[in-house]
Amino acid sequence: MSKNIPISLLELAIVTQGSTTSETLTKTKELAQLADSLEYNRFWLAEHHNMQHVASSATVVLISYIASQTKKIRVGSGGIMLPNHSPLIIAEQFGTLETLFPNRIDLGLGRAPGTDTLTAQAIRKDFFDEAQQFPKNVSALQTYFSNENSSSPVRAFPGEGVEVPIWILGSSMDSAALAAAYGLPYAFAGHFAPKQMVQAFEFYRENFEPSEVLSSPKTMACVNVIAADTNEEAKVLSTSLYQMFLGLIRNNRQPLQPPVATLDGAMNEAELFHVNQMTACSFIGDKNHLIKELNKFIEYTKIDELMITSPIYSHEDKLKSLKISSEVIQTINER
């Protein structure tokens, strides 16, 4: 390969069956500390609401905690759902984070609510109007961060003049168009909506407009990675991932389930189709298998960075998967 591909980690702080929120946040800290020691590039947390078994709802608070417990790794949002918030408040919050942890904070922005319709309206009554204003609100956020806003009657303190990298996150062509037009880096949610990923990356690159923050396109794909000592063990561990997506399809909210020997017969044909469609960008296996498959994926998508997420039931197995994944990317980059 002609370029080194950094590896990063998306963590949803999912509560596993038999565990608690407090234990989950401790595990999240330990995961971040291991990623830091393994020289992962970023550790991102996602904003979700009204999900009993997802512990990242207060995303900014959790980002601050993780940044305080690590040394070098960049910590950020994957993402902040901007229609839920005032751009001014986000500028103040991330300006504060960047002031506390210089050169270590990322701001990934999405336009979805991160929840169901009823909860979105509980967060703010005008959510759906604000979702339509996403491009305008991204611009407003950039303005609050800029030194040029110093003459405005409304300013962000801290935040003004603070350099917080903004990423546009998405799972569709709309997000690719916005990232290209604004000259911002673009991250695609291939871990749950991979269908338009390659098309979105191509559109983004072809239509990219250089900006003050970025002179050329910059892409990152997030995918599911389940790594283990053997392919067979990884396949078993991955059953927790597939059970999670089956629960989403059935609207059956539950903690992350322990792995099972097989999922044969667990889904009807329609469920199997939808689960397979959502998890099409999942890489499951031992080190050698992952080196081969992820290398092909990186070459095919032409991404600049790989972000992984690993919904694995056992904390020890998850830590091991993180180590193997680091070795996989290191080997790919050395070729």
Side-chain angles (χ1 to χ4, degrees), residues 251-325:
N251 195 26
N252 178 25
R253 302 184 183 187
Q254 56 184 344
L256 187 68
Q257 297 296 294
V260 294
T262 179
L263 287 173
D264 291 347
M267 300 176 240
N268 62 39
E269 287 187 13
E271 290 171 337
L272 182 62
F273 172 81
H274 288 297
V275 168
N276 286 340
Q277 189 175 55
M278 296 173 75
T279 60
C281 272
S282 298
F283 298 85
I284 299 160
D286 64 14
K287 181 178 176 179
N288 290 333
H289 177 76
L290 291 176
I291 289 170
K292 178 182 176 182
E293 294 304 314
L294 282 172
N295 187 54
K296 287 194 297 185
F297 174 79
I298 291 166
E299 290 184 342
Y300 178 62
T301 57
K302 302 182 178 66
I303 54 173
D304 301 299
E305 188 164 340
L306 179 72
M307 179 168 276
I308 68 170
T309 186
S310 303
I312 296 173
Y313 177 78
S314 161
H315 187 51
E316 290 71 26
D317 288 335
K318 190 167 183 172
L319 294 173
K320 178 184 282 189
S321 180
L322 198 67
K323 292 178 183 177
I324 296 172
S325 299

Side-chain angles (χ1 to χ4, degrees), residues 35-158:
D36 196 18
S37 70
L38 293 172
E39 299 188 345
Y40 274 66
N41 194 31
R42 311 175 199 276
F43 188 94
W44 281 7
L45 296 147
E47 178 184 352
H48 292 287
H49 300 282
N50 194 28
M51 296 184 183
Q52 184 178 356
H53 310 296
V54 176
S56 57
S57 56
T59 318
V60 172
V61 178
L62 194 51
I63 288 171
S64 183
Y65 171 63
I66 294 300
S68 74
Q69 299 297 307
T70 50
K71 297 178 180 179
K72 298 180 296 181
I73 195 168
R74 298 190 65 88
V75 186
S77 59
I80 288 293
M81 302 296 105
L82 191 55
N84 291 341
H85 310 279
S86 155
L88 175 63
I89 298 299
I90 296 302
E92 292 170 342
Q93 290 177 343
F94 277 80
T96 301
L97 287 170
E98 178 62 25
T99 302
L100 289 169
F101 310 102
N103 303 312
R104 291 187 56 208
I105 300 299
D106 293 328
L107 175 51
L109 297 173
R111 78 170 81 211
T115 186
D116 57 89
T117 301
L118 193 62
T119 307
Q121 292 180 315
I123 293 169
R124 61 183 303 170
K125 296 296 184 185
D126 60 346
F127 171 83
F128 294 102
D129 291 334
E130 285 301 309
Q132 299 302 314
Q133 300 298 317
F134 183 63
K136 178 181 175 182
N137 286 334
V138 172
S139 294
L141 187 52
Q142 290 179 305
T143 298
Y144 285 128
F145 280 132
S146 71
N147 286 312
E148 290 74 22
N149 198 52
S150 60
S151 60
S152 171
V154 180
R155 301 165 65 184
F157 302 115

